[in-house]
Amino acid sequence: MFKPVMTAAVAVGCLAHVALAQEVAELDDTIEATAKALIEAARVDEVGLTFVEDLTTEVGQRLAGSEAEQRARDWSVAELNELGFDAVRVEAFDIPFWSRKSEAVAVLTPSPQELVATALGGSAATPKDGVSGPVVRFESLADLQSAPVSKVDGKIVFIDEYTIKTMDGSGYGMGVRKRSGCAKATSDKGGLACLIRSVGTQPHRMPHTGIMARDGAEGDGPVAAISGPDADQLTRLLARGPVTVSVNIQTEIKTNAPSGNVIAEVTGTDLRDEIVLLGCHLDSWDLGTGALDDGAGCGIVVGAAKLIAELPERPRRTIRVVLYGAEEVGLFGATAYAREHGDDLDKHVLASESDFGAGPIWRFQTRFGEAALPYARTIQNLLIPLGVTPGDNRARGGPDIGILARSGVPVVTPGQNGIDYFDYHHTPDDTFDKIDPDEFRQNVAVYAAFAYVATETGWDFRKQPEPETVGTE
Amino acid sequence: MFKPVMTAAVAVGCLAHVALAQEVAELDDTIEATAKALIEAARVDEVGLTFVEDLTTEVGQRLAGSEAEQRARDWSVAELNELGFDAVRVEAFDIPFWSRKSEAVAVLTPSPQELVATALGGSAATPKDGVSGPVVRFESLADLQSAPVSKVDGKIVFIDEYTIKTMDGSGYGMGVRKRSGCAKATSDKGGLACLIRSVGTQPHRMPHTGIMARDGAEGDGPVAAISGPDADQLTRLLARGPVTVSVNIQTEIKTNAPSGNVIAEVTGTDLRDEIVLLGCHLDSWDLGTGALDDGAGCGIVVGAAKLIAELPERPRRTIRVVLYGAEEVGLFGATAYAREHGDDLDKHVLASESDFGAGPIWRFQTRFGEAALPYARTIQNLLIPLGVTPGDNRARGGPDIGILARSGVPVVTPGQNGIDYFDYHHTPDDTFDKIDPDEFRQNVAVYAAFAYVATETGWDFRKQPEPETVGTE
């Protein structure tokens, strides 16, 4: 009879868990009505979309550490002041600077032809006249890493690994591994340069840049991405026989260049010391105008915060918008923020970052204290009319607020549908026309609603269950 | 009573016309069965698709007059001999040669940023350091042409005219007008350079090149296309205030460079002196690998001719495949062919060219003598299972056979669905992966079927109605 008893116990435990999983927190009627009004206002909002249109038009690309990123900070400070935000300021820091000057990749034999390539951020330069040699192809970074030195020495490595399209962007993680690891694995084995199949997911001749692993401004070797059709071409040529290619990458590097985080607030009232942080990053890669990555994120959080600022009453907690600098090249803004505000993290009651384009939000992921999960459910219920489903409680936060999440700051990750994101991300095609205004505004609605509820309720998103009382009978 | 009589007469005429419009020619059962067998064989054909895959991989781009176009001729001669074609040869000619060395277009003020641009074929070079000046925007070539000199003098012209996507490619004609006319209209009014919104129809930062009007190797002024998103960006900037840009185009030109038409035949039997010409062009623009324009066309006609060559019996008429050279830069191959074969045009019983990508054929256009229209209907009926509808009798032939059509050679234009053609055409994205194999094979089937019927029936596609007999009573 032992087994059935255990089963019953497990069943009771499960039921209790299910019951807990459904528990919601009660929301004040006025707060709920105001949150719904914010959602309606967001559906026709122009502030957020205009922010990203103007930023990407009037500044353009905003490579970290460049004069253009400086212009973006100046532009943002002026714009945020114009919009009536409080305490608009820049928290400055320095970064190592890398910029492409030129890149050229070409097949030399058996049939001379140029390949469309882009140097990865941090790529070492080649000698002025480039390098050339036979190509050795690997189907994955792992294959390169396990290859004998003799297979790589004196060669140009080509990693022909695909990126899988997924709604949640998980396919990108694998792509980033080859982007980070190829130069070092190549140079460790005497290879001359590395070419990777572009991490992007579109079928166009538009390769995807992004940072390689590096210390300082420059990494271990020359590394470039070739577009998908060019990777196909190289693979077809290699199937016919030996292929030699040339690679020429020229760069500009500096030890120190200026960057900074732009901060603006909607000052709260009775709980003004408590911060609801809404983040994005202001820098972009140099190829596009950084509309999706991450002009959109900045437009979304600025638009949402501005809607809250326009309510008849100021919010109880302070909403802090942080436009991080130098995210793309190593999360320098995130580190600087954590350094500057490290003594104050307990006052950060919630943080969220928009950095995955402008696709519609389809799930509401959190990382809350376990006893705060009913708050997540209540907020997600508010967002059902926007098409937002429940998410798990394992959110890691966006790239810039991951460091806060790891320090215990509760985070919300409104999960966007990113199925097409890597078609544009880090390519010349990351431009304003790729943003769907209605989908963008759905994002503004989600951010405005949850940020508002987080300020007005005073809920403690760190809340843990009470320790269980030990029975005395 | 006069009027009703006329009406009746017209009505009778119309009915007669309708009856004539439905008249079909009788097709020998064996010919019909063989044509249907060719269609079935084409559905799984590998020869045509392999031809374009190998050409675009093993040669790559094939700019007219370049060393690469020479390689393409050598490759084609070897391949066509390998496939067992008869009388494989090159008819050589010289052309003026133009090639891009570099192009750069950038906004200088109010916010420095690069625009993605491609020089048009035949563009004049700028001085080594480029030209720069304020931008003046026109919504069409017509607006530029009617503008006063004072509006253009010392400026950089920007024509922001869109290309409309259409199945039949008719939107492209308007695009070509601005491509041809901008440099001259600009330089005539003292403008420094012309930028046009790319003639391409895709939303990517991938501008579309193509030939400008010119005498000799170089045209009247510097002219480049900027991509759609870059045209949007420039327009947004201009809406905010004055914009200055820089344009730097460097070129390589030669008075004379080698080109040529590659010709191969399936020699006929009893009517061997009569030619059914199937054309395409071998040269391509330099940005892509010319897979759709016009590697596909060559693969289609080679594949179709090869299927006929593999029949147990040789065809009655000779099938002549012509891979024209230097089409893109001014139809030099077409002119050379007409010059070479001008005395022989009456022996050309039919001509057809595939030069509109690899989309499915949806209509069967002809230019036949009026009494030969029943032949067109009979052939089109054969193609109904392939999704081919009737077309009119106003076909102009493809670019290279237009000159034959104007000399009275009957032509067939199997109309492809080109709705997406200008998404790729003349851009870096014109690569092999853009060809849908099933759609490609449908093209092979259509060409094989009509060419076969044209050889075996001995039909006279020039046939005109008998002169009406004047009554004697």
Side-chain angles (χ1 to χ4, degrees), chain B residues 21-100:
Chain B
Q22 301 306 321
E23 194 188 322
V24 296
E26 207 167 314
L27 191 61
D28 174 87
D29 285 350
T30 310
I31 295 176
E32 181 171 343
T34 304
K36 287 182 175 176
L38 283 168
I39 288 172
E40 289 312 305
R43 287 188 196 276
V44 293
D45 180 59
E46 290 295 336
V47 170
L49 201 60
T50 301
F51 190 92
V52 53
E53 176 173 346
D54 288 353
L55 171 66
T56 57
T57 300
E58 295 171 18
V59 180
Q61 67 84 16
R62 307 171 294 283
L63 183 67
S66 70
E67 168 274 341
E69 198 199 17
Q70 174 65 59
R71 271 192 285 132
R73 285 192 295 281
D74 296 344
W75 182 93
S76 299
V77 166
E79 183 67 19
L80 292 165
N81 276 317
E82 177 76 19
L83 287 170
F85 280 90
D86 306 320
V88 179
R89 61 201 188 267
V90 175
E91 292 180 352
F93 51 86
D94 284 346
I95 62 165
F97 175 77
W98 177 96
S99 175
R100 83 189 69 247

Side-chain angles (χ1 to χ4, degrees), chain B residues 330-402:
Chain B
L331 305 178
F332 290 99
T335 309
Y337 185 90
R339 193 169 53 229
E340 191 80 19
H341 300 272
D343 294 339
D344 204 26
L345 292 188
D346 59 326
K347 290 293 185 190
H348 288 65
V349 299
L350 189 68
S352 186
E353 178 172 15
S354 177
D355 182 23
F356 196 46
I361 292 166
W362 64 282
R363 68 172 173 183
F364 192 73
Q365 269 192 310
T366 55
R367 188 178 195 112
F368 288 177
E370 205 170 332
L373 285 177
Y375 306 145
R377 287 177 212 116
T378 297
I379 296 173
Q380 183 263 320
N381 280 343
L382 260 181
L383 304 176
I384 288 174
L386 293 167
V388 180
T389 66
D392 60 34
N393 197 38
R394 293 191 293 271
R396 289 181 296 177
D400 291 299
I401 64 165

Side-chain angles (χ1 to χ4, degrees), chain A residues 115-133:
Chain A
L115 301 178
V116 179
T118 190
L120 298 186
S123 169
T126 60
K128 189 166 149 282
D129 293 330
V131 293
S132 61

Side-chain angles (χ1 to χ4, degrees), chain A residues 39-52:
Chain A
I39 289 172
E40 288 311 304
R43 287 187 196 276
V44 293
D45 181 58
E46 290 294 338
V47 170
L49 201 60
T50 301
F51 190 92
V52 53

Side-chain angles (χ1 to χ4, degrees), chain A residues 53-54 56-58 71 111-113 203-206 229 233 236-237 240 287-288 428-429 431-434, chain B residues 53-54 56-58 71 111-113 203-206 229 233 236-237 240 287-288 428-429 431 433-434:
Chain A
E53 177 174 346
D54 288 354
T56 57
T57 299
E58 296 172 17
R71 271 193 285 131
S111 50
Q113 50 188 296
H204 306 295
R205 287 181 88 190
M206 202 166 269
Q233 181 81 336
R236 278 192 298 265
L237 282 166
R240 286 158 168 80
L287 301 178
D429 240 3
T431 49
F432 181 67
D433 53 296
K434 306 308 183 303
Chain B
E53 176 173 346
D54 288 353
T56 57
T57 300
E58 295 171 18
R71 271 192 285 132
S111 50
Q113 51 189 295
H204 305 295
R205 287 180 87 190
M206 203 165 270
Q233 181 81 336
R236 278 193 298 267
L237 282 166
R240 286 160 169 78
L287 302 178
D429 240 2
T431 49
D433 52 297
K434 306 309 183 303

